[in-house]
Amino acid sequence: MRHHFFKEVFVLVSIITGFSGYAQDLKLQYNQPAVEWTEALPIGNGTLGAMVFGRVDSELIQLNEATLWSGGPVQKNVNPDAFKNLALIREALTKEDFEKAYALTKNMQGPYSESFMPLGDLILNQDFGGQKTDSYNRNLDLQTGLAVTNFKVGGVNYKREIFASAPAQCIVIKLSADQLKKLSVTIDAASLLKNQKSIQNQSLVLNGKAPSHSDPSYINYNQEPVVYEDASGCRGMRFELIIKPIVKDGEVTADGNKLVIKNASEILLFVSAATSFNGFDKCPDSEGKDEHKFAEAPIKKVVAKKYDALLKEHITDFQKLFNRVSLQLNANEAKKSNLATDIRLEQYAKGEKDAGLEALFFQFGRYLLISCSRTHNAPANLQGIWNQKLRAPWSSNYTTNINVQMNYWPVESGNLSELFFPLDEFIKNVSVTGAETAKSYYHAKGWVLHHNSDIWAMTNPVGDFGKGDPMWANWYMGANWLSRHLWEHYEYTGDKEYLKKVYPIIKGAAEFSLDWLQKDKNGYLVTMPSTSPENKYYYDGKKQGTVTTASTMDIGIIKDLFENTVAASKILNIDADFRQTVNKAEQELLPFQVGDKGQLLEWYKDFEEEDPHHRHTSHLYALHPANLISPLETPELAAAAKKTLELRGDDGTGWSLAWKVNMWARLLDGNHAYRLFKNQLRLTKENNTEYNKHGGCYPNLFDAHPPFQIDGNFAGTAGVIEMLMQSQNKEIHLLPALPDAWSDGEIKGINAKGNFTVDIKWSAGKMSQTKIVSNNGGTCTVRSAAPFVVEKLNIQSKKSSIGYTAVFESKKGTAYTISPSK
């Protein structure tokens, strides 16, 4: 019996810790409650999100629901006069009258996109009679998604556990103490939105309504920024929040619209919420879902279950995704996992080594994606699913000139491919609304998407009909960039049935681009008008311009789209004539150009940049995320890209630093990539002037633009994978940009294109063993810095222009071991 007991304990520990031969550093922990929102701990089940503050006598749990947005379905033909400006803009650009082109471009704007709304707050007031707290700690376990707060008051040890369960579709909270009948708690709820509270069946119920429109936070006109009814007749989205207590011992009573629990030994709280959102094309008011029905259904199911069963069900579901990938760096380095995370960040900022913190940040990105990308039609937004403000920064919407794409960079390589479906569905939605925008705005075929969108799949240029700056509002490449994600999902999975379904969307983006391109005086195909997102240039001395012809980003995105469209049509063996048209247009595109400083030009002329260190590096899209520029295939252009990055510098906002990590990794410069990655971990605080002047991360590891933007977290995770493995060249490149700082390590479970799963172990900066599992079968090409052998097949690598390569035919389901040559 004793033997079997220890075996069961070991199995349970293996499930909870993901035992894989080494312990990972996977907890965020703190010795004091959160004061600022960016110190609270995020949990989520993909639909419901919560920020746990860990306060002792007045706990605050801020809540979100992924589909709770302002507004309703987009209107058609929102700017009937837009098209008549297009020819005039192109005429002005031909004459290089950039000022006139800028003014006319503003005439082609429409309404602003809508905003992601906060759901509300759950407040737990616990009366301790003024007694002080004797001990305190709180933590978030990334491997279980469980947030725990422990404290001692008056000789009693209290514990609060909270997790967001995807199987149960609700948030579960357990309050306990090590002495009986010591829990007396008042439960309250609040919301910034219009709402009514009531007590129903011993549950606290909050019903509310989102605004029919909310202007972005950076707009401050005289009109009311938040409107609850608009002229379209579609009133805002309804929502319902339910908080249901189950109490052991004690009693539950109502005090007005609050629940009062006295002298309980244990309290379970089940939190559920739903909205009337019923799809991007349906009014959430008149055509909305029954939010009460969808909020109540999970509560009815969970009240009959035991807490331990709910926790086990949640952990099993969560770890099915999380435990696929593990990372260990510098195992012999002194461990700091016993220290509070904010203390580790402070020490790291002073130059102390902490490879465990770096691995923790990597896994935090995967944790966040699991927690916020599991809801139909609602991909992770600028803040994932976490937002406490009525007017969030940049509306917490979908910014498509980098940010929403960045959110999904690690979804495939980080072995979370199932979590791509919300973005996949969103792309399908914007391809529908974008077809109408292409037709009404530009009289063009296909579909178009500009720089901002929302849950309603808005595709028009925003700016409130001329009040927005074209340097960000009038950007036309969103459809093309998002189409890359459809293509990449195929590249990683090899699913031809999926490719067949999405090919019309990819083709539609190409059709718009074919109509959008114009011939310049030299016979090249160019875009006009064109912008390089959010950046400016000088012309005619010190005049500032933003609207121009053929930004390098435009050319790179279209070239990438055309190549992917051609490849998809070949794989599917369809559209031969269209393929030929696209091929011809691709060959006629304006070539990439190198400037006087040796840099890749950002615009079609060697303009001086208004901000040489601008956060956007849009003209390097061809380097990353595309693969049009690489040291392997285009060394001269790679050198120009490197010069561009050197000129841009190593500072920037949080997400900008993350993009540069990926770019330096693509240039095979691991030490420079690591330098930028370290900058991502610069501690930023909202309540401390010493730490609030730069991009980095907050005490809870949220990415700091500042303010908080979640894209930097995801891009940072993707950047670590890019340093350790790349597969964009139809090969698996092992340790392509390994920094000297990570002399020893092991990563397991990452994915390569062609549907290969890769484990890599290295020592003293050199690969010591690799395992590659072929999930589909097919040709496998491997590249590494030093000679290696494919064991069992006994295939020796051959010298290449960069390192050594070997090619072999793999069998589906077979694992292959790669070892250094002896």
Side-chain angles (χ1 to χ4, degrees), residues 496-798:
K496 287 187 180 180
E497 286 302 311
Y498 171 81
L499 184 62
K500 188 184 296 184
K501 290 178 183 177
V502 300
Y503 174 74
I505 299 175
I506 298 172
K507 179 181 178 180
E511 287 177 319
F512 175 81
S513 296
L514 288 170
D515 280 358
W516 186 244
L517 289 165
Q518 305 290 305
K519 279 277 180 77
D520 73 358
K521 61 183 180 181
N522 297 313
Y524 290 119
L525 287 176
V526 297
T527 54
M528 55 191 309
S530 175
T531 60
S532 190
E534 305 180 34
N535 205 0
K536 301 177 182 179
Y537 58 88
Y538 289 118
Y539 70 98
D540 291 349
K542 285 296 179 181
K543 290 183 180 179
Q544 287 188 358
T546 59
V547 179
T548 182
T549 298
S551 72
T552 300
M553 185 193 211
D554 281 7
I555 300 302
I557 286 180
I558 292 175
K559 185 177 177 64
D560 181 48
L561 170 68
F562 283 176
E563 290 190 0
N564 296 339
T565 305
V566 167
S569 72
K570 285 181 179 178
I571 291 165
L572 297 173
N573 195 26
I574 58 175
D575 259 354
D577 290 344
F578 184 71
R579 187 192 316 153
Q580 187 175 357
T581 300
V582 172
N583 253 330
K584 183 175 183 295
E586 193 262 332
Q587 293 165 11
E588 294 175 0
L589 288 170
L590 180 71
F592 295 129
Q593 301 175 85
V594 178
D596 291 343
K597 301 183 183 74
Q599 85 283 21
L600 190 72
L601 290 190
E602 186 164 359
W603 292 277
Y604 82 114
K605 283 190 171 183
D606 200 350
F607 292 124
E608 181 186 350
E609 296 160 310
E610 184 261 346
D611 179 5
H613 306 298
H614 197 271
R615 61 193 176 278
H616 282 261
T617 46
S618 304
H619 45 317
L620 297 188
Y621 172 95
L623 173 67
H624 182 278
N627 189 38
L628 303 171
I629 296 175
S630 73
L632 185 66
E633 300 291 340
T634 59
E636 297 84 5
L637 288 174
K642 180 179 180 180
K643 186 64 177 179
T644 299
L645 285 173
E646 290 171 347
L647 292 170
R648 271 295 200 261
D650 293 340
D651 208 344
T653 60
W655 65 263
S656 175
L657 295 170
W659 196 0
K660 292 172 189 174
V661 170
N662 287 266
M663 289 179 169
W664 279 110
R666 285 285 175 92
L667 291 171
L668 310 182
D669 190 335
N671 288 334
H672 210 135
Y674 178 70
R675 189 186 311 167
L676 272 297
F677 181 72
K678 285 190 69 177
N679 285 347
Q680 273 201 270
L681 283 162
R682 293 183 302 197
L683 179 59
T684 305
K685 294 184 179 181
E686 293 184 298
N687 55 2
N688 188 322
T689 55
E690 183 183 352
Y691 291 104
N692 69 356
K693 297 179 176 65
H694 52 244
C697 72
Y698 291 107
N700 66 357
L701 296 189
F702 268 171
D703 173 74
H705 179 287
F708 164 52
Q709 278 189 207
I710 204 167
D711 42 18
N713 289 108
F714 297 134
T717 296
V720 170
I721 296 174
E722 290 281 337
M723 285 190 266
L724 302 179
M725 188 273 293
Q726 295 177 23
S727 63
Q728 71 277 4
N729 290 313
K730 296 183 179 177
E731 62 181 30
I732 299 171
H733 194 166
L734 306 175
L735 306 180
L738 181 68
D740 294 339
W742 295 343
S743 59
D744 304 283
E746 183 174 9
I747 190 164
K748 293 183 176 181
I750 53 177
N751 278 351
K753 292 180 178 180
N755 204 354
F756 297 96
T757 303
V758 183
D759 301 346
I760 310 170
K761 191 172 185 178
W762 67 96
S763 179
K766 295 180 180 179
M767 188 270 292
S768 56
Q769 189 175 74
T770 294
K771 184 177 81 171
I772 298 174
V773 177
S774 177
N775 300 307
N776 284 359
T779 303
C780 181
T781 303
V782 180
R783 183 181 300 274
S784 189
F788 61 90
V789 60
V790 184
E791 295 185 5
K792 292 186 180 179
L793 299 179
N794 198 28
I795 297 175
Q796 294 286 342
S797 62
K798 296 179 180 179

Side-chain angles (χ1 to χ4, degrees), residues 24 64 169 183 280 313 323 325 342 466 525 549 569 590 601 695 698 736:
Q24 295 186 77
N64 287 99
Q169 279 300 293
L183 297 170
F280 76 100
E313 177 186 61
N323 281 357
V325 173
D342 51 341
L525 287 176
T549 298
S569 72
L590 180 71
L601 290 190
Y698 291 107

Side-chain angles (χ1 to χ4, degrees), residues 25 28 102 167 184 225 270 290 340 345 379 402 424 470 472 500 551 592 626 697 731 763 765 772 775-776 790 799:
D25 185 351
L28 280 68
Y102 176 87
S184 294
F270 300 114
D290 182 347
L345 285 167
I402 175 63
D424 184 45
W472 44 263
K500 188 184 296 184
S551 72
F592 295 129
C697 72
E731 62 181 30
S763 179
I772 298 174
N775 300 307
N776 284 359
V790 184
K799 187 76 175 76

